[in-house]
Amino acid sequence: MDFLERDEHLRRLGEALATAGAGRGRIFAISGEAGAGKTTLVERFTRDHAPDARVYFGACENLTTPEPLLPLRDIARASGAAIDVSGGHLAAFEAVLGLLAQPGKPALMVLEDMHWADAATIDLIRFLGRRIGRVRALVLITYRDEEVGSPSALRDVLGEAASGVVERMTLEPLSLRSVAELAAGKGRQADELFALTGGNPFMVTEALAVDGDTPPETVRDATLARAARLPAAGRLVLEAVSIFPRKADPAIVSKLVGDAMEAGLDACIEKGMLVMAEGMTLKFRHELARRAIEGSLSVSRLRNLHQRTIDALKASAQVRASEMAHHAERAGDVATLLDYAQRAAADAARTGANREAASHYAAMLRHRDAMSSSAVVDTLERYGEQSYLMGDSHAALSSMLEASTHRRKAGEALALGRDLTRLSRYAWVCGQRVNAERFVREAITVLEAAPPGPELAWAYSHQAQLDMLAQNSENAIAWGQRAIELAEQLGEQEIIIHALGNVGTSRIDMDGTSADADLRKSMELARKAGFPDHVERAYCNLTCSYYWRRDYRGALELIKDGADYACDRDLTHWESYLRGWRAMAMLDQGDWAGAEAEAQLVSGWTGVPDLFRFPALTALARVRLRRGDADADEPLAHTRRLAAGVDELQRSMYVAVLDAEKAWLSRSIPDPSEPRSNYPSRDADHATILRLHELHNLAIERGAIWVVSDTGLWLHLLEERLPDVRKLAQPFRDQCQGRWREAAKAWRAMGCPYEEAIALSGGDEEGQREALAIFDRLGAAPAAAKLRRQMRAAGVRAIPRGPIAGTRANPAGLTRRQAEVLNLVGAGLSNAEIADKLCISAKTAEHHVSALMARLDVATRREAAAEARKLGILESAAEN
C-alpha cells in the first residue's frame, strides 16, 4: 500500500532524533488502534535513518502471561549486547542505558506492541524516562490505545518522566481522500470501502487484496478469503504459524506441517500472508490477520497444534519457560503447564516482574486438583508474596489466608506463624487494622509454643510496627526490644534492622524532638546489608518526624535523598509516599500549584498500594479545600476511607482537621446585608468537634505532641475549650492563648503563610489586612471571604476587594480546572484517565470536558484541543 498521510509524523520523528543526537534524549510514544500503521511508520522511519543511528529492535508478545523483559532479550540477541535479563531487572536497565549511551552515532531503540508489555518492561520505561534526557538516544514505543491494562500503566509511567522528555503521537485513520486514491487503483468504490473500514490502513489493504467489487464485511473475512486461495500446503503453514503469538521458528513449523513446509511457505510469502522477520523467523504482516486465522481453527485442531509444538520445543536446545507455559495452557497439557509455569514464575520473580510471576502461580492454582497438597500450599504462599509485591494486597491477603488454613490443619506451627505474620502486614496495607492485630497476636501465640526462632522474632517486630503506627509508643518499644534481643541471639540482621526502625520511630514520637539515633542506625545497617526496603522505611519515618516538627528544611532534604534512592532502585511505592510528603511541605510553605501538581502526579501512579498514596491525597484535599474548588471532597473521601480502615492516630488526625477546617471556613460572622438563613448552623459541626476532642485526648494519653498541637489549634479555631493549653507545642500554644502577634511571627519564621494569616486574622485591623493580603496572594478564596465578612461585621471600611477571578488571563474564559482538563484532553486521555490523573470521579471529569467544549463551542475533543492551541492556552501535548 502507498505510504499516505504520514509525512508530518515522519517529520516529527526526524526532529526528535535530531534533538536526541544533540544530547537531549527523547521517548516518543506512538499510539493507535490495531491496523493504524504503527509498525509500518516505524519501519519506514528506521529504514530512512539507518545510516544516522545505531538501531535496536525489541517487541512484546501476546502470550497468556507476558514474558519479563522480552524486548530486551530481542535486543541482546540481535546486537550481542551484554544485557542479563535473568537476574535483577535494575542491572538489566543499567545495561540498556549504557548501551544507549555509547559514543558515536545516536541510538534509536524501538519497543513495539507495548500494550502487551510485562510489568518489568513498563518499569524500564519509567527508568529510562527519568534518565534518557542526558543520553544521545531516541526510544520509540508503539502501543494500541484501545487495549485495556498496559496502556493505562504505560501512560502513567510516561507521565512520570522528566519534563520535556516524552513526546506523543496518535496515528489517525486515513481520510476518505486517501482511501479513494487507493481504491481507484483497484477500480473499487471509495465511499463503500471507507464506510466499511473506517479508514483503518490495514483493513483497507486487506479489503483491496480480495478480488470482487464488494469488499467483505470484516477484516477477518478478508483475511480468510485470501487464505482460502492458498494451496492446501500454504493453508497448513499459515495455520501452524498462527498459534505463535509474535513470530515462529521455521524449524518448529516444519515439524508441525511436515512435507508441506517448502511449497506452503513459498505460497504464503508470495501471496503476502507471511513475511520473513529478523533472525529468519516467520510472522504475519499484522496481528489482526494472525488472530483471524487462529480464530478460524477448531478447538481440537488448536489443541493438537499446541501439543505438537510442546513436543517440538522440548527437543529444542533453548526453551523459554513462559512460551512453554503458554502452549501448555492452550493444549490443556496440565503436567507441562505446572512444570513450566513454576519455572516461568521463578524467572519472573527474579527479574522483578511480580505481576507476571503472580499470573503464572495463578495459572497453576487453577489446576490445583493435579497438585500435591504441599505444592498447593507452597504455590498459595508464593502467589500471595508476588501479589503483595505487585501492589495487589487484597489478592495477597486472600491467598495467604487460604495457605494459613492448610498450615493450621496440618499442625505446622512455624509455617503457620510465618504466614500469620505476613497476613498481618497484608491486612494492614488493605486498611484492615483489626485483622492485622488479630493475625499478629495469633502468630505470637502459635510461635511462642514452639522453640524460639526467626519466625517469632519477626512476629514480635511486626507487633512493634503496628503499635508504632498507632502511636502506642511504649508498647512498640517493648515489643521491638524483645524482637532485637531474640534476633541478636539468632544472628538475624534483617530483623534487627526492622525492629530498630520501629523502636527508633516510637522514641521520636515520645520525645517530640530529634531523638533519632536508633532510626538512623536502622537506616545505616540496612544500607550496608543491602536491604533497600528498610532503608526507605527509615527515610519515610524520619521524614514524618521532621515534618511534624515543622522542620521543613530537614524534611525536604530527607525526601530528596529518599526519593532519589527509591527512584534508583525502582521502589515506586516508597517514592510515591515520600513525594506525597513533599507535596504536604510545599503546600504548607505556600507553593500550592507545585503541591497540587506533585500530589496529582504521585496519587495517580500505578502499582502503588492505596495507603502509600495517603499523604498525596491529603495534600490534594487540603489545597482544593483552601482554594475553594468544587471537587475538594473527592480526595477527602479517599483519605477518609483509608484512615477509617487503619484507624491510626497519625491518619485519623488529618481527616479530622480537614473536616474542622471545612467547618471553620463555613463559619462566618453574619454580614448585616445578607439574611441569617445564608449561614449554616453550628450544630452541623457537632460530630467534627466530638471527633477532634476524641483524637486530642487520645494524643495526650499517648504522648503524640504533634497530634495534640494540631487538633488543639483547630478546636481553638472552632471556639472549643481545651483541657490543657500548656501541652501544645509552639506556636500553637501562643495562638490558642491569644498571643496572635507572637504566633504569626513564629509561623512566618517557619515559612507557613496560611497559618500565619490565620493567626493574624485573630488580631487587630492592621493584622487582619495583612492576613487578607496573604490569603489573596495564596488564592485562599474561602478564608479571604470569611475574613472579609468578619471585618465588615466589625465595621471596618475600605476593605480590599481581592483579585479578579482566576480566568482573567485565560483568553477562552476557562476556569483553572477546565484548562487543566483541556491539557489532558489534548494529550489524548479519556474521561476515566483524566479522572485518575486529577483524582476526581469519571462523572466529574465528564462534566468538566462537556463544560470546556461548550465554552469553546466545539463538537469533538479533537476540535477542543485544536481550538485551544489556536488560542495559545494549551500546553504542548507532545511533552509531559
Side-chain angles (χ1 to χ4, degrees):
M1 187 181 76
D2 295 337
F3 199 69
L4 301 174
E5 298 187 1
R6 297 297 184 247
D7 288 346
E8 175 63 15
H9 303 83
L10 289 171
R11 184 193 65 76
R12 286 185 59 194
L13 290 172
E15 289 180 350
L17 181 59
T19 300
R24 301 190 302 279
R26 289 287 186 273
I27 294 177
F28 212 120
I30 306 172
S31 65
E33 65 182 2
K38 300 180 293 296
T39 297
T40 303
L41 176 69
V42 169
E43 288 177 348
R44 171 68 174 270
F45 177 72
T46 53
R47 184 172 67 248
D48 290 348
H49 291 273
D52 310 323
R54 294 175 288 118
V55 181
Y56 306 100
F57 273 100
C60 301
E61 194 169 272
N62 188 22
L63 292 174
T64 305
T65 297
E67 182 170 352
L69 300 177
L70 184 56
L72 297 193
R73 299 173 194 267
D74 289 344
I75 291 170
R77 183 171 52 251
S79 67
I83 304 174
D84 182 8
V85 296
S86 62
H89 63 290
L90 284 175
F93 295 174
E94 291 287 356
V96 171
L97 191 63
L99 178 66
L100 297 179
Q102 287 179 0
K105 296 178 181 179
L108 173 57
M109 185 169 76
V110 178
L111 303 176
E112 288 206 271
D113 295 327
M114 286 292 291
H115 47 277
W116 291 324
D118 62 283
T121 302
I122 294 290
D123 285 341
L124 170 66
I125 302 303
R126 175 185 285 115
F127 179 90
L128 292 176
R130 299 180 181 189
R131 297 162 177 84
I132 197 73
R134 301 185 299 272
V135 178
R136 296 176 64 244
L138 175 63
V139 178
L140 298 184
I141 60 177
T142 69
Y143 66 97
R144 294 184 195 165
D145 49 12
E146 80 272 19
E147 298 275 348
V148 296
S150 289
S152 177
L154 181 61
R155 289 191 186 100
D156 286 336
V157 300
L158 290 174
E160 297 169 29
S163 177
V165 160
V166 174
E167 295 190 46
R168 291 177 174 82
M169 174 191 294
T170 299
L171 295 190
E172 303 292 347
L174 298 176
S175 66
L176 175 58
R177 180 177 178 178
S178 289
V179 173
E181 184 179 337
L182 295 169
K186 292 284 188 176
R188 304 284 282 274
Q189 293 294 319
D191 290 345
E192 185 179 5
L193 184 61
F194 185 76
L196 169 70
T197 63
N200 180 285
F202 178 72
M203 292 185 181
V204 171
T205 303
E206 289 296 288
L208 290 174
V210 180
D211 296 331
D213 294 333
T214 303
E217 293 183 355
T218 66
V219 67
R220 175 181 179 275
D221 292 337
T223 303
L224 294 180
R226 294 182 67 191
R229 288 164 171 75
L230 290 171
R235 289 197 297 275
L236 285 175
V237 171
L238 201 66
E239 290 173 359
V241 175
S242 76
I243 71 166
F244 295 89
R246 182 161 62 99
K247 55 188 178 181
D249 182 345
I252 301 297
V253 175
S254 181
K255 292 182 180 180
L256 299 181
V257 301
D259 294 339
M261 182 64 179
E262 185 174 351
L265 179 57
D266 288 343
C268 289
I269 291 178
E270 181 182 343
K271 295 296 184 182
M273 299 295 289
L274 296 177
V275 296
M276 294 297 293
E278 65 280 1
M280 297 302 291
T281 55
L282 295 171
K283 70 175 184 179
F284 281 77
R285 289 188 308 106
H286 199 280
E287 171 67 8
L288 289 176
R290 187 196 70 79
R291 288 188 183 183
I293 299 299
E294 183 187 34
S296 71
L297 303 181
S298 67
V299 173
S300 59
R301 172 74 170 142
L302 279 171
R303 286 199 169 200
N304 177 266
L305 284 171
H306 281 292
Q307 186 62 61
R308 289 167 62 198
T309 299
I310 290 169
D311 297 339
L313 287 172
K314 284 181 177 178
S316 174
Q318 293 183 338
V319 179
R320 291 161 45 201
S322 58
E323 184 182 18
M324 284 290 284
H326 168 83
H327 289 296
E329 189 160 15
R330 299 297 178 92
D333 185 343
V334 175
T336 300
L337 171 66
L338 293 176
D339 181 9
Y340 283 92
Q342 187 172 35
R343 298 188 202 183
D347 290 343
R350 275 195 302 272
T351 60
N354 309 114
R355 187 178 303 278
E356 285 63 45
S359 179
H360 284 300
Y361 287 129
M364 294 174 65
L365 290 170
R366 288 195 289 271
H367 300 281
R368 63 179 64 197
D369 291 345
M371 301 166 66
S372 66
S373 58
S374 61
V376 169
V377 179
D378 179 71
T379 304
L380 284 167
E381 290 172 341
R382 293 178 185 274
Y383 174 67
E385 291 171 1
Q386 294 302 312
S387 295
Y388 172 71
L389 291 172
M390 79 177 194
D392 190 350
S393 299
H394 291 280
L397 184 65
S398 176
S399 183
M400 202 63 73
L401 268 172
E402 187 178 351
S404 68
T405 300
H406 286 285
R407 298 295 191 191
R408 189 179 286 106
K409 288 180 180 178
E412 298 170 340
L414 290 180
L416 172 60
R418 184 179 61 244
D419 286 355
L420 288 167
T421 301
R422 291 170 176 164
L423 279 168
S424 175
R425 181 62 177 174
Y426 300 170
W428 181 82
V429 174
C430 288
Q432 300 177 19
R433 183 177 177 86
V434 172
N435 284 334
E437 291 177 334
R438 176 170 61 84
F439 289 136
V440 79
R441 282 198 302 269
E442 185 183 357
I444 291 172
T445 300
V446 167
L447 292 169
E448 284 186 335
E455 295 85 0
L456 179 59
W458 270 121
Y460 286 162
S461 193
H462 276 74
Q463 178 65 70
Q465 185 175 21
L466 283 175
D467 284 326
M468 175 271 290
L469 290 166
Q471 270 76 44
N472 288 322
S473 299
E474 291 184 359
N475 287 346
I477 292 170
W479 283 110
Q481 288 175 334
R482 292 177 70 176
I484 291 169
E485 290 173 8
L486 180 53
E488 286 177 340
Q489 295 173 20
L490 298 168
E492 292 285 345
Q493 181 79 338
E494 186 179 4
I495 303 175
I496 294 171
I497 291 167
H498 187 270
L500 262 178
N502 300 324
V503 170
T505 304
S506 296
R507 283 180 172 153
I508 294 173
D509 286 349
M510 289 182 68
D511 185 82
T513 63
S514 56
D516 57 11
D518 286 332
L519 189 50
R520 289 190 179 274
K521 181 180 178 182
S522 171
M523 178 191 286
E524 290 310 309
L525 289 174
R527 198 187 296 272
K528 290 177 183 177
F531 294 120
D533 204 59
H534 296 310
V535 173
E536 281 300 302
R537 198 165 149 257
Y539 267 124
C540 290
N541 290 352
L542 281 168
T543 292
C544 289
S545 71
Y546 276 74
Y547 175 83
W548 292 332
R549 295 198 303 273
R550 301 306 199 274
D551 183 349
Y552 295 108
R553 183 173 182 176
L556 289 169
E557 287 176 357
L558 285 162
I559 289 168
K560 182 185 184 306
D561 291 345
D564 287 348
Y565 184 91
C567 176
D568 289 344
R569 289 154 183 81
D570 207 31
L571 301 172
T572 310
H573 55 300
W574 287 121
E575 184 184 358
S576 71
Y577 193 73
L578 283 166
R579 291 181 64 172
W581 285 110
R582 177 184 288 160
M584 291 284 282
M586 293 166 73
L587 173 64
D588 288 359
Q589 297 194 302
D591 182 5
W592 289 13
E596 183 180 34
E598 183 82 343
Q600 280 184 181
L601 174 65
V602 299
S603 63
W605 284 359
T606 56
V608 175
D610 281 349
L611 269 177
F612 286 83
R613 306 176 199 270
F614 186 87
L617 288 167
T618 302
L620 209 52
R622 184 172 277 180
V623 71
R624 290 182 183 175
L625 174 66
R626 291 180 177 179
R627 209 166 45 201
D629 292 352
D631 49 11
D633 284 342
E634 297 189 44
L636 177 55
H638 282 295
T639 60
R640 194 185 308 282
R641 175 179 57 81
L642 292 173
V646 292
D647 192 24
E648 293 168 350
L649 193 57
Q650 61 170 312
R651 279 168 251 279
S652 298
M653 184 278 295
Y654 281 108
V655 175
V657 298
L658 278 164
D659 285 336
E661 184 170 356
K662 189 176 181 181
W664 176 74
L665 289 170
S666 70
R667 283 188 179 186
S668 287
I669 297 175
D671 189 322
S673 66
E674 294 190 20
R676 178 72 185 180
S677 59
N678 285 4
Y679 298 92
S681 168
R682 298 197 177 189
D683 292 341
D685 303 339
H686 185 63
T688 295
I689 291 170
L690 283 179
R691 180 59 169 160
L692 267 182
H693 275 298
E694 178 187 349
L695 294 176
H696 183 72
N697 293 332
L698 183 61
I700 291 174
E701 177 186 323
R702 294 185 178 174
I705 297 172
W706 64 274
V707 180
V708 173
S709 300
D710 273 301
T711 53
L713 174 61
W714 285 102
L715 283 168
H716 168 73
L717 291 172
L718 292 175
E719 302 173 21
E720 289 292 305
R721 185 182 297 276
L722 297 177
D724 189 353
V725 177
R726 294 171 300 175
K727 292 186 178 296
L728 275 62
Q730 292 290 19
F732 300 90
R733 187 190 312 162
D734 277 341
Q735 190 160 344
C736 292
Q737 290 180 329
R739 293 190 291 274
W740 60 270
R741 286 189 181 86
E742 291 84 349
K745 182 178 179 181
W747 286 121
R748 187 182 309 117
M750 289 181 182
C752 299
Y754 188 76
E755 287 76 8
E756 177 191 353
I758 291 176
L760 290 168
S761 297
D764 56 21
E765 181 179 331
E766 182 183 353
Q768 290 175 345
R769 288 183 181 278
E770 189 177 347
L772 200 55
I774 295 173
F775 284 143
D776 286 341
R777 185 180 75 245
L778 290 172
K786 171 186 172 66
L787 181 53
R788 285 187 171 89
R789 289 182 182 277
Q790 178 182 330
M791 293 170 73
R792 279 196 295 269
V796 177
R797 297 185 179 276
I799 301 171
R801 290 183 57 188
I804 302 171
T807 59
R808 65 193 183 282
N810 190 324
L814 300 181
T815 65
R816 179 195 58 80
R817 175 61 83 208
Q818 286 173 336
E820 195 170 26
V821 171
L822 184 55
N823 276 292
L824 298 178
V825 170
L829 274 65
S830 66
N831 288 348
E833 290 162 342
I834 291 171
D836 287 342
K837 285 290 184 186
L838 301 184
C839 197
I840 58 178
S841 69
K843 197 68 176 175
T844 300
E846 181 182 350
H847 290 326
H848 282 310
V849 172
S850 298
L852 71 87
M853 288 172 65
R855 172 74 71 176
L856 294 173
D857 192 23
V858 295
T860 67
R861 298 164 78 95
R862 188 184 305 174
E863 290 174 356
E867 183 65 21
R869 286 191 182 93
K870 290 180 185 178
L871 294 168
I873 61 173
L874 182 63
E875 297 172 9
S876 173
E879 295 184 359
N880 189 10

